[in-house]
Amino acid sequence: MVKTDVMTPFVEAATPPGKTGLWWFLASEIPVFGGLIASYVVLRLGSSGWAEAASHLNFSYALINTFLLLTSSMTIVMAHAAARDRSFGRASLFLGATVLLGAGFLGIKALEYSGEIAHGFTPAAGIFWSFYYAMTGLHALHVLVGIVANLTLWIDAVRGRLARHPHRVEVAGLYWHFVDIVWIFLFPLIYLS
């Protein structure tokens, strides 16, 4: 029997590992946020005083946060493109930018919360404030998870380990886009209505 030195070509999986699992996870998150949003809309339409309570929110902070999240969507797409092109230096740059933008979002959210609580608008201040803290708090928790995932990928990229698993940037990007889409629903519902 003659052995050949012909190497088997690397065949990239049609669906990257973890991607299907993430889609299932995201599908399970839709009823959570969807239920909260639907309850918010139904209760708001059936009672009064919500617009007055919402007028105490800091619209400028929310607008800045919307800009930060939308910009981070762009940087995570650029990180994915760079990882796909095996340009891991650029991928680390865009992953780092995504982490900073997400951290900026949480920092501004903390400022917003502290200002509202200082004025007595706690979750116990009324039904609007209960929904406000539940929806934005749950969203902020998801942002924090995304930051941790992207920070882990950034560390891998800086240390040269991302080349073994570049598809993870795509999976993290899917999660990050979900976080952005949820905010796109929350922003007009809470701050513009």
Side-chain angles (χ1 to χ4, degrees), residues 38-125:
S39 300
Y40 175 88
V41 170
V42 168
L43 287 172
R44 184 165 182 157
L45 291 175
S47 58
S48 59
W50 292 59
E52 194 279 331
S55 70
H56 297 287
L57 293 172
N58 192 320
F59 179 75
S60 298
Y61 282 162
L63 198 60
I64 293 169
N65 267 347
T66 303
F67 173 77
L68 291 177
L69 272 190
L70 291 179
T71 305
S72 71
S73 263
M74 181 185 70
T75 56
I76 196 72
V77 167
M78 295 168 87
H80 174 228
R84 191 184 56 225
D85 295 341
R86 305 193 69 77
S87 176
F88 299 111
R90 281 192 313 123
S92 70
L93 180 71
F94 293 126
L95 283 168
T98 305
V99 168
L100 289 177
L101 290 165
F105 177 92
L106 289 183
I108 288 175
K109 198 71 204 158
L111 281 176
E112 189 179 357
Y113 278 169
S114 62
E116 288 153 356
I117 290 171
H119 287 92
F121 301 122
T122 65

